[in-house]
Amino acid sequence: MTASTSWLGLPPDTGFGPANLPYGIFSTSGSGPRTGVGIGDHVLDLAAATGDPLHATGTLNAFMATGPAAWAALRTRLTEWFSDPVHRRTVEPNLVPRDQVTMHLPIEVADYVDFYSSQHHAENLGRMFRPDSAALTPNWKHLPIGYHGRAGTVAVSGTPVVRPCGQRKDPTEDAPTFGPSQRLDIEAEVGFVVGVGSDLGAAVPLRRFPDHVFGVCLVNDWSSRDLQAWEYVPLGPFLGKSFLTSIAPWVVPLAALGAARVAPPPRDPQPLRYLRDDDDPWGLDIALEVRLNGELLSSPPFREMYWTPAQQLAHLTVNGASLRTGDLYASGTVSGPGTHERGSFIELSWGGAEPITLADGTTRTFLDDGDVVVITATAPGPDGSRLSFGEVTGRVEPAR
Ligand code: CA
């Protein structure tokens, strides 16, 4: 199935063809939030088209909780609707132009976890923060490092990014000061949304990844490097991360990503058995792009990630921690080996030492008030097509 085989007559480069079918929550003027499916330049009103109250709840959680068999059944139905013109009468009256809808947070976020799974990113930050030690910590190649974040401040793309205030202390200063962050940064990441929970005390093995994870969304993990640098020892990220995490409004189903699966980079040394994925690895060839005020700054390659989302899920439950519908875990900053493949400003400007010169002649080390960051991504679909993940965007507003 390609975009061009739909009776909708979509252009081949739509990114939102019938091989994608991302889910989101939308509203129109005068009607409440409900589930929609992105198709071309439209949203299919799933609540109206199916008449199923499951799709009128205002989040994807109720549908996600129904599990992989129900996900597959609806996907099959949607594929039929968009490919066979006999369904035109069902579908067409329920298509709403995308430029006429407001998109909302697609999921009610249960728990939020953020990993640190790009070797290139971890080595870059290690060199900057710990120049006298090995770039990678001794545990890094044995387990996907992560921390539990703040679920309540995950917001939909477009939510204003208010510059956070907090304690900063430059190494040259004797004592900390309080004020607006002066090193406000992004982290271009890919997020994984849990549909089906698990029992407390029971680990979720690698092979059960597609039984629990519903889909994938873009993430911008806004980060304050000055707050972070002062607070993070010894317990890890706290207020430097928790002020806002933005996600794209579209959740691309895992089922759409068959053509995007790739082998991850070779692991050396081999991890412990519960993280061994040689027979069924979940590397994904997702190509990200980071734009500042419209200018392309970076193209981070997700296929370079050392740890896969299946390994991350296996690790975060291996102690018996249970999953809940709506759990979100992010990959960690996606950075590749190239200088234009880095997913954060701290890497792009090398800790502020190498300012980035923009097309308008201005320079940046970190974000200025008024800056707009847009992260987009695509992945291979069937027959040479590309699937779009939409975008996650945010505009920096002055500290309050
Ligand atoms: Ca992060």
Side-chain angles (χ1 to χ4, degrees):
M1 159 80 70
T2 63
S4 56
T5 63
S6 170
W7 54 263
L8 286 157
L10 303 173
D13 62 349
T14 168
F16 276 62
N20 190 348
L21 307 179
Y23 293 93
I25 298 296
F26 78 102
S27 63
T28 48
S29 59
S31 69
R34 55 202 185 272
T35 302
V37 173
I39 182 81
D41 293 331
H42 289 78
V43 177
L44 174 68
D45 184 336
L46 205 55
T50 63
D52 188 340
L54 205 61
H55 302 301
T57 58
T59 84
L60 299 180
N61 289 43
F63 172 58
M64 294 197 304
T66 59
W71 307 340
L74 180 57
R75 188 168 172 83
T76 299
R77 192 175 173 198
L78 290 167
T79 302
E80 288 170 4
W81 280 3
F82 291 127
S83 57
D84 189 338
V86 75
H87 298 291
R88 196 164 182 154
R89 276 179 303 170
T90 307
V91 172
E92 217 158 35
N94 295 306
L95 291 175
V96 186
R98 268 204 275 159
D99 59 10
Q100 291 176 21
V101 306
T102 301
M103 299 302 297
H104 302 266
L105 191 64
I107 59 172
E108 184 183 343
V109 182
D111 287 296
Y112 171 54
V113 165
D114 190 19
F115 283 98
Y116 190 58
S117 289
S118 157
Q119 183 175 345
H120 305 288
H121 174 73
E123 286 179 340
N124 285 339
L125 265 65
R127 288 188 191 108
M128 280 184 261
F129 281 109
R130 298 179 302 277
D132 300 325
S133 322
L136 291 181
T137 50
N139 55 0
W140 200 91
K141 286 196 168 180
H142 294 280
L143 53 83
I145 291 176
Y147 67 95
H148 283 90
R150 190 163 186 83
T153 51
V154 176
V156 72
S157 171
T159 301
V161 185
V162 178
R163 183 177 296 274
C165 288
Q167 289 197 23
R168 310 83 39 102
K169 183 188 163 305
D170 190 88
T172 61
E173 297 171 328
D174 294 333
T177 57
F178 182 89
S181 172
Q182 292 162 358
R183 290 161 71 92
L184 180 59
D185 201 353
I186 66 162
E187 292 193 335
E189 305 195 24
V190 176
F192 296 84
V193 178
V194 172
V196 176
S198 63
D199 294 332
L200 189 64
V204 175
L206 274 175
R207 63 182 153 70
R208 299 291 306 278
F209 168 71
D211 298 335
H212 290 273
V213 168
F214 172 75
V216 181
C217 65
L218 286 175
V219 175
N220 189 343
D221 175 27
W222 304 95
S223 298
S224 163
R225 301 301 178 190
D226 39 357
L227 273 58
Q228 182 184 1
W230 171 231
E231 74 179 2
Y232 89 108
V233 177
L235 287 186
F238 189 43
L239 303 182
K241 297 283 191 174
S242 64
F243 55 95
L244 179 66
T245 304
S246 300
I247 67 172
W250 297 108
V251 180
V252 173
L254 210 58
L257 296 175
R261 288 184 67 178
V262 289
R267 280 63 166 270
D268 181 23
Q270 280 295 313
L272 293 173
R273 183 165 298 281
Y274 75 95
L275 292 170
R276 291 261 183 108
D277 65 349
D278 318 302
D279 55 340
D280 191 27
W282 268 94
L284 290 169
D285 182 15
I286 301 173
L288 282 71
E289 292 188 334
V290 178
R291 285 178 173 77
L292 175 67
N293 303 331
E295 181 176 343
L296 180 65
L297 287 192
S298 175
S299 302
F302 189 79
R303 64 179 299 147
E304 294 279 341
M305 300 298 276
Y306 191 87
W307 297 107
T308 71
Q311 290 173 313
Q312 291 170 336
L313 191 75
H315 185 63
L316 88 83
T317 60
V318 75
N319 65 348
S322 50
L323 300 171
R324 291 189 291 175
T325 298
D327 282 358
L328 171 69
Y329 63 99
S331 60
T333 307
V334 182
S335 290
T339 52
H340 294 283
E341 296 179 327
R342 296 169 175 170
S344 67
F345 280 81
I346 194 170
E347 292 168 275
L348 289 165
S349 72
W350 206 253
E354 300 171 11
I356 307 155
T357 301
L358 303 177
D360 65 3
T362 62
T363 59
R364 291 292 186 289
T365 49
F366 295 92
L367 293 170
D368 286 354
D369 290 346
D371 279 348
V372 176
V373 176
V374 178
I375 303 171
T376 56
T378 61
D383 304 321
S385 65
R386 300 291 297 182
L387 311 182
S388 169
F389 290 75
E391 67 177 41
V392 57
T393 181
R395 181 178 186 277
V396 179
E397 295 194 350
R400 289 178 186 165

